[in-house]
Amino acid sequence: MSVLVALWITSRRWQRAIADRDDAYRARSHDLVGTIAIWAVPSGLIGARLYHVITDFNRYQDNLGDAVKIWQGGLGIWGGISVGVLVAVWMLRRGGHSTGTMLDALAPALPVAQAIGRLGNWFNQELYGRPTDVAWALEIDQAHRVAGYGLEETFHPTFAYEALWNLCLAATLVWVVPKLLPQLRTGYLFALYVFGYTAGRLWIELVRIDTANELWGVRINVWTSIVVGLAALAAVLVGLRRGPAAAVETDIEAGPDADAVSSRPPEQP
């Protein structure tokens, strides 16, 4: 469901972004999002699984065969997005399309898909946070309690926090950023998504109590959020400093059909 919604949003934004192109190009690119998804989505799943296995290798080192049992759960968003986007960029450049325009189209679609995907955590009673008695606290069955929390009854629904954060992030990218940052260079809306997501994931990770590997006493996903978030922020600042006027052609030399970079961000879905 989440993948289909992301494809629908991305496709609509992509079609609007190329609305001023000639009929031949629009016809050739009409199904571009779906074509890319055929390769990028499975690649993203593989990347997500690899990230999970690598960062939680202690769970699989005694039985490496379990590493391929993706149906038992265990996906890392960092690996999924990075590998999926790399495949998408490769296909776009190979076909002579604008990577920046497509990344801008994709930027708000991803957090919406991530928000939908978090519903599974509610059904599975997993990835919740510290005990709390706030009005929106979540009751967790004994069978799903994290070790050491058998006496507490209600917990922070951190997966819900992330879902709400992602929906707000998507709305901000679509409706707020184009008005507040009209000078943001094409393609850098995706960097702003990465920064916004990591900012939310950082504080949410600090609330969660599920078992996770740590580095120097801090969850690995916290370190990842910090490193990736700072890199994304640096990219956003570059995009703001250069601005639309300094935008350069990001397509490969593909002749007259190459998709020129637009300094105007795609319209809202």
Side-chain angles (χ1 to χ4, degrees):
M1 178 64 178
S2 59
V3 173
L4 294 178
V5 171
L7 292 178
W8 178 75
I9 294 174
T10 304
S11 182
R12 286 198 62 186
R13 289 173 58 81
W14 170 254
Q15 291 300 323
R16 291 184 179 184
I18 64 171
D20 58 349
R21 294 300 306 274
D22 59 84
D23 293 341
Y25 181 80
R26 283 189 283 111
R28 181 168 69 90
S29 304
H30 181 72
D31 296 324
L32 181 61
V33 173
T35 301
I36 292 175
I38 292 175
W39 297 95
V41 172
S43 299
L45 288 174
I46 294 173
R49 184 61 176 180
L50 285 174
Y51 179 88
H52 168 73
V53 171
I54 292 172
T55 56
D56 289 278
F57 189 69
N58 59 303
R59 300 183 183 183
Y60 304 97
Q61 59 185 353
D62 295 329
N63 191 352
L64 294 179
D66 289 343
V68 299
K69 296 179 180 179
I70 194 171
W71 56 89
Q72 294 183 353
L75 297 174
I77 188 66
W78 312 106
I81 290 179
S82 59
V83 174
V85 168
L86 284 175
V87 170
V89 168
W90 175 76
M91 294 183 67
L92 287 164
R93 294 188 63 82
R94 187 170 179 268
H97 302 282
S98 170
T99 56
T101 303
M102 182 62 79
L103 287 177
D104 278 356
L106 176 64
L110 285 177
V112 172
Q114 289 171 268
I116 296 174
R118 283 303 179 191
L119 291 174
N121 300 141
W122 180 76
F123 288 109
N124 296 332
Q125 297 190 49
E126 60 185 3
L127 305 186
Y128 47 87
R130 295 193 294 265
T132 182
D133 57 358
V134 295
W136 56 88
L138 179 71
E139 293 186 10
I140 300 294
D141 297 337
Q142 283 289 342
H144 298 282
R145 300 280 181 88
V146 174
Y149 292 90
L151 299 179
E152 295 81 359
E153 295 184 356
T154 55
F155 302 81
H156 279 287
T158 48
F159 54 83
Y161 297 163
E162 183 174 333
L164 291 174
W165 180 276
N166 286 337
L167 291 176
C168 291
L169 174 60
T172 300
L173 295 174
V174 170
W175 288 296
V176 179
V177 173
K179 295 179 180 179
L180 291 184
L181 303 175
Q183 74 275 29
L184 185 64
R185 186 180 173 190
T186 301
Y188 287 80
L189 189 68
F190 188 85
L192 198 53
Y193 147 70
V194 174
F195 173 71
Y197 174 72
T198 54
R201 186 64 182 265
L202 177 60
W203 69 266
I204 291 171
E205 281 288 333
L206 295 174
V207 179
R208 283 169 51 170
I209 58 174
D210 52 292
T211 303
N213 284 344
E214 298 181 347
L215 179 63
W216 298 320
V218 179
R219 296 165 71 100
I220 289 180
N221 279 334
V222 171
W223 289 113
T224 304
S225 295
I226 293 173
V227 173
V228 175
L230 290 176
L233 178 59
V236 171
L237 294 177
V238 169
L240 288 172
R241 187 180 73 245
R242 293 183 179 179
V248 297
E249 181 61 60
T250 60
D251 300 322
I252 59 175
E253 294 296 330
D257 285 335
D259 180 20
V261 174
S262 169
S263 62
R264 175 174 53 86
E267 298 179 26
Q268 65 191 56

